[in-house]
């Protein structure tokens, strides 16, 4: 037992560690308060302060009287007062996030200065690898064959405006700079600048007035390249190089992007948006190169009269169109002016835009990024052999690495569409060509036979002058545009074609046939076929996951497929990406069953591709479609990767980054680099240390039994409880989310209220907003209760579960995520939303079922982990919740009040728009406060 003295000491240490965080939160809160008092008046400020104090007393001191007073106060606010209070607490959530991010970096820096290695850092992983006897040469060899890629996606939970993000980045930089200022005068100037940015925030509209377009989503994603990726990814590579001195480090880490290429359920993504996405990506990276080359030219003012240059360098300078006599003896500057002119011409050729400055006219555009890199290598080699190595590291080396990573395309854009859309196009092509009148009526075996025959036929399917539907023309235009984009931006601009709802082999063959129709597949399957785009099945539902390995086995058994994939490889090995969907499988069967079925599908795929690797040299790369919430596969990436089944990583991993998680991970450059580093560290450990062994049979049998029971409990509540759909649409803000301008894609696949048709993302987002977070935990408590129900076996089975928690990374990570989501939920807040259900008996009945299941899950976690308090093993998150949630609660209380007013509104009431705006601001604030809602 811990002594009282030790407890006090531990508490004192924690308070001292958190003191800078508390000071930053108080500083930002005080400035926000000053701005509110100045902008809105003393009465508004005092109202907000009263709400804040009551909320803190209610949350931190469990003061029930404060809770009742808060409730009465909020219910009596006018429309204008309500919006003002919601804006204040929403911005406080944003500012608290900034302070928390700064403290995260501060603590990490402190540990590094003390020589303490941090979990998830490259340094820690390199030490573990060394301790295990793995040589630097082996690590470098692993990286030669590795492919690690976070993929940014746009989804209907990205509620942040770019204007808000930009202002918050400026505040974050000022808060960071504040720590290094030695004088009171400088700190006062710094505070004045923070005040200016917070004033800007207060006077900036938090919400979009129009629906987000795909163009807006592209711009939002590109802002993270400016803020973080373009500079921090080369810096991360530099750390890998420093850890592996003397070894060449291959380009193993690249960025991916869905925005502009993901058509599944989004009618606004077309061939034009694909062109736009790649054009803007190219413009972003080329303008970055232009800036860096310009700065490099300023730095390399070396005179040939003082330092010799290589013959190649002299030739590069001579080839430059720069004839300025003032630079006659400055070969590096002359050469780089020539490089700049070529980049400027490339920018114009690829994007139609102009460079901002010209020492000489743009000319002689680069044909490929490799040519630009070759020129930079000439500069590097000359500096190195003439004792100027010190000038390479600061700018030239990061620039060269950036060119290797980003090319002229910036990020690989994935194409994605639903299998039924491909089927419709194929059916139309075959009908018009009089090959098959009713393709949709064919059995799977007949489809395969027909599609294989057509893939072995050199002739196209389209009939000249025939009239095709708008859908067929639009889909074929995407494939045609992809061919042009590959020729323009290079082989890495497009690599993957993802097929949503893959249910059989014909779904893959249909996409190959559509590629063949436009020239993305060249040759025929029986005669040297090659494909430009890897067909990537996306297995989403529980049933799809169970069929994943059988489908891929049947696909590779078809004549010509394996040979085509071998001929189509772009790297050292033949790649086959397979995407696993976390969201739909979760909505289908609950969190535990989703994770268990994913685990089983991965093991089956590993076994299959071990055979295919031996027979055809095919390498499996899993693409994890993880969201931000635990209910959509979210949670810490490091633990998630290490918990993957044995053999599933092997240096190959792609994973989606979605929703608010993108902002929380990558808006701050330093935190962004740490998160990128974590992906690399986890991939190396999972590949070389083999942290997961094959689980014992008893573990697997127990997990299967828990999964079956969890699935039954989840389905019984969500799909079989009468009135549950009505409850969901009343007791969560799903209706209001559907109206919010936070994504270009509709919230539902069909115009129905069926949960089956609702997208998994707004489903999870809605439960998060009302603080239930049901998709992240529902079913587990009932499953454990059932598993331990027999008193004769209870003790033995509980011991088994506790062993699974200690010894099995899969189970431990799953329970850690459950622990987090239960800690972030709040049923006292959630109960307020039940008041919105018109049928009061229905509301009470279903909330009672939810509350009972939540309690069973909470009890099960305590029983298995031995931790009575949630987040006992995650003090940093517990600290975060302690500091942020008292300011989040008023947003939920006000959201409920405004939803009630809005749903009872009368048409034509002039206050309706203000109430609606208040609801939407509260959604923004709650999303910011929870941080992983996407």
């Amino acid at each position: 037992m811990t002594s009282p003295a030790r407890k006090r000491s531990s508490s004192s240490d924690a308070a001292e560690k958190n003191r800078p965080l508390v000071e930053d939160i108080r500083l930002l809160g005080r400035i926000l308060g000053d701005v509110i008092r100045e902008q809105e008046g003393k009465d508004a400020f005092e109202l907000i302060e009263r709400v804040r104090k009551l909320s803190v007393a209610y949350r931190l001191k469990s003061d029930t009287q404060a809770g009742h007073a808060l409730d009465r106060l909020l219910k009596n606010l006018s429309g204008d007062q309500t919006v003002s209070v919601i804006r204040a607490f929403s911005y406080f959530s944003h500012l608290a996030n900034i302070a928390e991010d700064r403290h995260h970096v501060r603590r990490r820096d402190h540990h590094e200065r003390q020589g303490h290695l941090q979990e998830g850092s490259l340094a820690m992983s390199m030490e573990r690898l060394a301790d295990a006897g793995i040589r630097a040469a082996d690590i470098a060899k692993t990286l030669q064959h590795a492919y690690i890629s976070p993929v940014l996606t746009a989804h209907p939970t990205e509620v942040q405006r770019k204007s808000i993000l930009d202002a918050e980045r400026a505040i974050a930089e000022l808060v960071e700079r504040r720590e290094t200022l030695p004088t009171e005068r400088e700190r006062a100037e710094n505070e004045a600048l923070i005040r200016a940015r917070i004033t800007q925030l207060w006077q900036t509209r938090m919400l979009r007035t129009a629906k987000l377009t795909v163009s807006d989503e592209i711009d939002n994603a590109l802002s993270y390249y400016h803020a973080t990726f373009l500079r921090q990814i080369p810096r991360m590579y530099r750390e890998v190089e420093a850890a592996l001195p003397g070894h060449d480090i291959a380009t193993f880490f690249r960025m991916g992007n869905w925005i502009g290429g993901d058509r599944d359920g989004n009618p606004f993504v077309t061939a034009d948006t694909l062109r736009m996405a790649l054009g803007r990506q190219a413009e972003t990276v080329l303008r970055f190169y232009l800036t860096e080359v310009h700065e490099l030219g300023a730095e390399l003012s070396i005179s040939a009269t003082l330092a010799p240059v290589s013959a190649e360098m002299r030739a590069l300078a001579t080839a430059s169109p720069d004839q300025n006599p003032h630079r006659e003896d400055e070969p590096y500057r002359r050469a780089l002016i020539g490089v700049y002119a070529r980049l400027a011409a490339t920018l114009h050729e690829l994007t139609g835009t102009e460079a901002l400055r010209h020492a000489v006219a743009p000319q002689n555009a680069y044909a490929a990024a490799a040519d630009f890199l070759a020129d930079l290598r000439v500069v590097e080699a000359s500096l190195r052999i003439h004792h100027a190595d010190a000038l390479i590291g600061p700018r030239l080396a990061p620039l060269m690495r950036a060119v290797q990573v980003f090319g002229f395309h910036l990020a690989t854009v994935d194409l994605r569409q639903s299998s039924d859309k491909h089927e419709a196009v194929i059916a139309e092509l075959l009908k018009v060509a009089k090959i098959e009148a009713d393709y949709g009526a064919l059995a799977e075996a007949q489809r395969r036979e027909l599609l294989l025959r057509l893939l072995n036929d050199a002739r196209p399917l389209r009939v000249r002058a025939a009239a095709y539907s708008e859908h067929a023309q639009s889909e074929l235009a995407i494939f045609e545009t992809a061919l042009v984009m590959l020729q323009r931006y290079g082989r890495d601009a497009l690599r993957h074609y993802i097929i949503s709802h893959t249910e059989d082999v014909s779904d893959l063959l249909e996409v190959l046939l559509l590629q063949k129709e436009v020239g993305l597949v060249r040759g025929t399957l029986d005669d040297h076929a090659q494909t430009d785009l890897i067909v990537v099945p996306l297995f989403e539902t529980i049933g799809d996951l169970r069929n994943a390995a059988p489908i891929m086995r049947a696909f590779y058994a078809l004549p010509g497929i394996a040979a085509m994939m071998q001929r189509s490889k772009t790297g050292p090995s033949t790649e086959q990406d397979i995407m696993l969907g976390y969201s739909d499988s979760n909505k289908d069967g609950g969190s535990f069953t989703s994770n268990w079925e994913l685990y089983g599908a991965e093991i089956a795929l590993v076994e299959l591709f071990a055979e295919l690797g031996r027979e055809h040299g095919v390498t499996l790369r899993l693409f994890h479609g993880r969201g931000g919430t635990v209910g959509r596969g979210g949670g810490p990436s490091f633990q998630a990767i290490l918990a993957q089944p044995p053999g599933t990583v092997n240096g190959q991993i792609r994973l989606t980054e979605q929703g608010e998680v993108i902002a929380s991970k990558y808006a701050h450059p330093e935190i962004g680099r740490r998160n990128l580093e974590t992906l690399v560290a986890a991939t190396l450990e999972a590949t070389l240390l083999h942290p997961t062994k094959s689980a014992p049979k008893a573990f697997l049998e127990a997990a299967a039994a828990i999964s079956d029971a969890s699935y039954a409990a989840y389905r019984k509540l969500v799909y079989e409880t009468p009135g549950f759909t009505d409850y969901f649409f009343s007791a969560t803000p799903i209706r209001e989310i559907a109206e919010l301008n936070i994504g270009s894609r509709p919230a539902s696949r069909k115009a129905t209220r069926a949960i089956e048709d609702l997208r998994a993302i707004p489903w999870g987002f809605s439960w998060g907003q009302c603080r239930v977070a049901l998709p992240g935990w529902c079913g587990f408590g009932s499953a454990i209760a059932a598993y331990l129900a027999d008193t004769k076996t209870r003790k033995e089975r509980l011991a088994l579960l506790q062993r699974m928690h200690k010894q099995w990374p899969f189970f431990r990570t799953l329970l850690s995520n459950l622990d987090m989501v239960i800690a972030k939920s709040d049923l006292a807040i959630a109960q307020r939303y039940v008041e919105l259900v018109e049928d009061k008996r229905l509301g009470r009945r279903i909330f009672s079922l939810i509350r009972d299941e939540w309690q069973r899950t909470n009890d099960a976690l305590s029983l298995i982990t031995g931790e009575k308090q949630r987040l006992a093993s995650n003090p940093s998150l517990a600290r975060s919740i302690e500091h942020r949630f008292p300011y989040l609660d008023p947003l939920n209380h006000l959201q409920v009040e405004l939803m009630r007013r809005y749903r009872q509104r009368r048409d034509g009431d002039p206050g309706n728009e203000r109430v609606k705006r208040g609801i939407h601001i509260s959604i923004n604030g709650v999303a910011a406060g929870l941080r992983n809602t996407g």
Side-chain angles (χ1 to χ4, degrees):
M1 183 178 288
T2 307
S3 69
R6 185 174 296 178
K7 277 188 176 178
R8 283 196 299 274
S9 173
S10 174
S11 176
S12 174
D13 289 346
E16 182 57 30
K17 286 177 185 176
N18 293 335
R19 184 178 50 78
L21 169 63
V22 173
E23 288 175 355
D24 283 346
I25 288 176
R26 283 177 180 163
L27 171 73
L28 295 173
R30 175 173 59 77
I31 296 173
L32 176 61
D34 291 346
V35 168
I36 291 169
R37 189 190 290 111
E38 175 188 89
Q39 303 287 320
E40 304 294 314
K42 182 182 174 185
D43 289 347
F45 170 77
E46 289 180 349
L47 171 63
I48 290 161
E49 268 297 284
R50 192 170 169 218
V51 171
R52 183 185 71 81
K53 288 174 180 175
L54 287 170
S55 183
V56 170
Y58 181 50
R59 161 70 65 168
L60 297 184
K61 300 174 185 174
S62 301
D63 184 339
T64 52
Q65 285 187 320
H68 292 313
L70 178 65
D71 200 28
R72 286 194 303 273
L73 176 62
L74 296 181
K75 279 187 174 177
N76 290 315
L77 295 181
S78 70
D80 285 339
Q81 286 176 317
T82 303
V83 171
S84 180
V85 172
I86 285 175
R87 291 189 74 224
F89 282 96
S90 292
Y91 276 129
F92 187 86
S93 284
H94 289 235
L95 295 173
N97 287 347
I98 291 170
E100 196 174 286
D101 287 345
R102 176 64 205 134
H103 194 60
H104 180 78
V105 173
R106 183 187 292 123
R107 294 304 305 165
R108 187 92 178 232
D109 290 344
H110 170 77
H111 286 299
E112 287 186 356
R113 285 194 301 272
Q114 299 292 315
H116 303 151
L117 300 182
Q118 293 290 289
E119 185 80 5
S121 68
L122 265 174
M124 171 70 92
S125 293
M126 290 297 180
E127 184 172 279
R128 283 178 177 160
L129 293 168
D131 290 345
I134 297 167
R135 299 173 306 153
D138 297 326
I139 301 171
K141 185 177 179 182
T142 296
L143 293 176
Q144 279 181 346
H145 300 276
Y147 190 99
I148 304 170
S149 181
V151 181
L152 303 191
T153 75
H155 276 294
T157 63
E158 277 184 284
V159 298
Q160 295 270 46
R161 284 186 67 207
K162 185 174 178 298
S163 301
I164 301 292
L165 286 171
D166 290 344
E168 289 176 1
R169 284 193 188 107
I171 294 169
E173 289 171 9
L174 289 165
V175 170
E176 180 178 358
R177 204 177 306 151
R178 187 174 179 80
E179 293 182 31
T180 64
L181 302 177
T183 68
E184 282 302 315
R185 180 179 60 80
E186 288 172 302
R187 291 172 73 80
E189 288 174 356
N190 174 272
E191 183 172 323
L193 291 172
I194 294 174
R195 187 181 304 277
R197 295 283 72 83
I198 291 178
T199 301
Q200 175 194 343
L201 274 182
W202 190 257
Q203 294 192 355
T204 297
R205 175 172 35 82
M206 189 179 275
L207 301 175
R208 301 180 183 94
T209 55
K211 188 79 172 170
L212 198 67
T213 65
V214 179
S215 175
D216 296 326
E217 290 172 336
I218 291 167
D219 287 343
N220 279 353
L222 291 177
S223 71
Y224 294 98
Y225 285 86
H226 294 295
T228 298
F229 299 130
L230 285 166
R231 296 192 186 279
Q232 296 303 321
I233 289 178
R235 189 176 165 193
M236 181 197 67
Y237 270 99
R238 190 170 70 214
E239 293 193 11
V240 175
E241 290 165 346
L244 305 172
H247 296 279
D248 288 333
I249 304 302
T251 306
F252 62 89
F253 191 101
R254 296 175 176 85
M255 293 300 297
N257 178 32
W258 272 16
I259 308 164
D262 178 14
R263 312 194 302 294
D264 182 17
N266 193 338
F268 305 109
V269 176
T270 63
D272 288 339
T273 57
L274 178 60
R275 273 190 292 270
M276 180 200 309
L278 283 162
R280 289 200 193 160
Q281 287 185 187
E283 182 179 355
T284 296
V285 76
L286 284 165
R287 289 194 185 280
F288 171 73
Y289 295 156
L290 285 163
T291 299
E292 292 302 290
V293 167
H294 176 76
E295 296 294 336
L296 190 61
E299 292 167 7
L300 298 186
S301 54
I302 300 166
S303 171
T305 63
L306 298 173
V309 298
S310 67
E312 293 83 358
M313 185 66 228
R314 199 176 305 112
L316 190 62
T318 302
S320 170
D322 178 32
Q323 301 299 320
N324 190 312
H326 296 297
R327 291 188 287 268
E328 192 174 345
D329 69 328
E330 296 175 342
Y332 291 99
R333 280 184 165 171
R334 284 170 50 218
L336 289 167
I337 285 170
V339 168
Y340 188 98
R342 295 192 70 183
L343 278 175
T346 309
L347 176 71
H348 181 75
E349 191 171 286
L350 292 182
T351 71
T353 61
E354 301 295 335
L356 297 179
R357 53 173 80 86
H358 299 298
V360 297
Q363 55 197 282
N364 190 20
Y366 285 111
D371 300 333
F372 172 37
L373 181 62
D375 283 352
L376 295 178
R377 288 198 190 284
V378 169
V379 176
E380 179 201 31
S382 182
L383 289 169
R384 200 175 296 284
I385 62 175
H386 293 108
H387 313 295
D389 289 60
L391 292 169
I392 295 170
R395 193 178 303 274
L396 179 57
L399 175 58
M400 291 169 63
R401 181 59 76 178
V403 178
Q404 291 173 301
V405 173
F406 301 113
F408 288 162
H409 65 285
L410 186 69
T412 300
V413 175
D414 288 356
L415 302 180
R416 182 170 82 127
Q417 181 58 290
S418 180
S419 59
D420 60 314
K421 303 297 184 185
H422 304 135
E423 180 186 331
V425 176
I426 292 291
E428 185 174 343
L429 289 171
L430 296 179
K431 185 175 183 180
V432 172
K434 298 190 183 302
I435 295 171
E436 173 56 56
D438 191 359
Y439 174 77
L442 296 182
E444 173 63 18
Q446 294 172 301
R447 290 188 183 197
R448 290 186 200 179
E449 183 183 352
L450 174 57
L451 294 168
L452 281 172
R453 178 160 56 82
L454 294 170
L455 284 165
N456 285 323
D457 189 332
R459 293 169 296 182
L461 292 174
R462 276 178 287 187
V463 177
R464 284 192 176 188
Y468 291 98
S469 68
E470 185 179 339
H471 170 68
Q473 292 181 60
S474 175
E475 289 298 310
L476 288 165
I478 285 279
F479 288 91
E480 289 166 336
T481 301
L483 182 64
V484 175
M485 296 297 99
L486 279 170
Q487 293 163 350
R488 180 178 298 172
Y489 298 109
R491 187 68 192 81
D492 288 327
L494 297 160
R495 288 170 67 100
H496 312 98
Y497 194 106
I498 298 163
I499 305 162
S500 299
H501 309 113
T502 299
E503 295 173 349
D504 224 319
V505 173
S506 59
D507 294 329
L508 305 176
L509 296 176
E510 286 165 4
V511 172
L512 285 174
L513 188 57
L514 290 171
Q515 286 195 61
K516 173 178 167 287
E517 186 65 18
V518 303
L520 287 165
V521 167
R522 293 171 300 286
T524 56
L525 270 186
D526 57 2
D527 186 17
H528 295 90
Q530 280 184 266
T531 177
D532 284 336
L533 301 178
I534 302 167
V535 286
V536 181
L538 168 49
F539 299 109
E540 299 173 89
T541 66
I542 301 295
D544 293 343
L545 289 168
R546 290 172 179 170
N547 288 329
I551 288 172
M552 295 313 295
R553 182 181 294 279
F555 179 62
Y556 271 91
L558 295 173
I561 293 295
M564 177 189 69
M565 295 301 290
Q566 289 171 331
R567 284 189 293 269
S568 305
K569 68 180 181 182
T570 58
S573 59
T574 303
E575 310 159 352
Q576 176 61 65
D577 293 70
I578 293 176
M579 186 169 183
L580 303 174
Y582 288 64
S583 309
D584 284 303
S585 58
N586 182 286
K587 188 163 73 75
D588 194 19
S591 181
F592 190 94
T593 299
S594 168
N595 279 280
W596 174 242
E597 293 293 344
L598 284 158
Y599 187 90
E602 289 181 45
I603 287 176
L605 287 167
V606 165
E607 291 172 355
L608 168 62
F609 277 86
E611 293 176 35
L612 293 175
R614 289 191 296 270
E615 294 171 12
H616 307 293
V618 181
T619 298
L620 170 67
R621 180 188 301 129
L622 290 175
F623 182 10
H624 300 270
R626 305 170 77 229
T629 55
V630 168
R632 297 192 50 246
S637 297
F638 184 77
Q639 286 81 1
I641 293 171
L642 291 186
Q644 291 299 304
T648 54
V649 179
N650 288 334
Q652 308 284 320
I653 194 164
R654 299 181 87 218
L655 67 166
T656 54
E657 300 281 26
Q658 303 176 357
E660 301 306 299
V661 170
I662 297 175
S664 68
K665 278 189 175 183
Y666 301 119
H668 186 289
E670 183 74 13
I671 289 176
R673 181 172 58 80
R674 302 289 192 189
N675 279 301
L676 297 168
E677 190 182 305
T678 289
L679 295 179
V680 177
T683 303
L684 284 173
E685 288 196 31
T687 302
L688 293 169
L689 293 181
H690 310 293
T692 52
K693 312 298 182 198
S694 295
K697 184 181 178 185
F699 287 12
L700 298 174
E701 288 176 348
I706 294 166
S707 175
D708 288 345
S710 181
Y711 179 81
Y714 175 86
R715 297 285 302 187
K716 182 179 179 183
L717 177 62
V718 172
Y719 292 100
E720 297 165 19
T721 300
F724 188 88
T725 300
D726 292 334
Y727 177 91
F728 170 67
F729 275 88
S730 297
T732 78
I734 180 63
R735 297 187 228 168
E736 289 74 17
I737 286 167
E739 296 178 13
L740 184 51
N741 296 315
I742 55 176
S744 66
R745 188 199 312 232
S748 189
R749 289 187 172 93
K750 299 175 184 175
T752 73
R753 275 167 46 109
I755 290 172
E756 291 87 343
D757 295 329
L758 190 70
R759 293 191 177 283
I761 298 153
W763 161 255
F765 190 58
S766 302
W767 285 115
Q769 283 282 313
C770 66
R771 309 289 286 280
V772 176
L774 180 136
W777 53 263
C778 182
F780 181 74
S782 287
I784 296 300
Y787 187 71
L788 299 176
D790 189 338
T791 54
K792 295 176 185 175
T793 59
R794 178 182 171 85
K795 186 176 179 181
E796 179 187 332
R797 286 188 163 194
L798 177 57
L800 174 63
L801 293 175
Q802 290 169 339
R803 250 192 352 269
M804 288 164 64
H805 176 247
K806 285 188 173 71
Q807 299 172 13
W808 191 13
F810 163 77
F811 195 66
R812 184 169 59 251
T813 299
L814 202 154
L815 263 59
S816 173
N817 285 337
L818 276 171
D819 185 43
M820 178 180 73
V821 78
I822 288 287
K824 282 193 170 187
S825 62
D826 188 320
L827 294 199
I829 296 287
Q831 191 159 12
R832 292 293 313 280
Y833 288 79
V834 182
E835 299 166 15
L836 298 169
V837 182
E838 289 185 19
D839 185 335
K840 300 305 177 188
R841 288 183 62 191
L842 173 72
R844 287 193 298 272
R845 177 170 59 83
I846 291 184
F847 183 72
S848 175
L849 295 173
I850 291 171
R851 185 178 54 221
D852 291 348
E853 181 61 21
W854 184 95
Q855 191 61 55
R856 280 190 289 269
T857 300
N858 189 52
D859 293 344
L861 280 170
S862 296
L863 201 59
I864 297 168
T865 65
E867 296 169 352
K868 302 304 177 189
Q869 295 295 317
R870 299 284 63 87
L871 299 178
S873 58
N874 191 345
S876 62
L877 183 55
R879 177 192 70 216
S880 167
I881 287 175
E882 180 186 343
H883 287 297
R884 276 191 288 129
F885 279 25
Y887 303 95
L888 195 58
D889 296 349
L891 290 171
N892 285 110
H893 289 296
L894 285 165
Q895 188 178 91
V896 171
E897 180 58 32
L898 289 183
M899 285 167 64
R900 179 189 291 109
R901 294 181 195 180
Y902 188 63
R903 292 176 182 182
Q904 293 173 355
R905 70 191 182 279
R906 291 190 299 274
D907 290 342
D909 187 330
N912 285 346
E913 200 56 40
R914 183 177 53 219
V915 171
K916 181 178 170 183
R917 188 169 79 251
I919 295 170
H920 290 172
I921 294 172
S922 74
I923 290 171
N924 182 302
V926 172
L930 291 172
R931 303 210 82 174
N932 59 347
T933 58

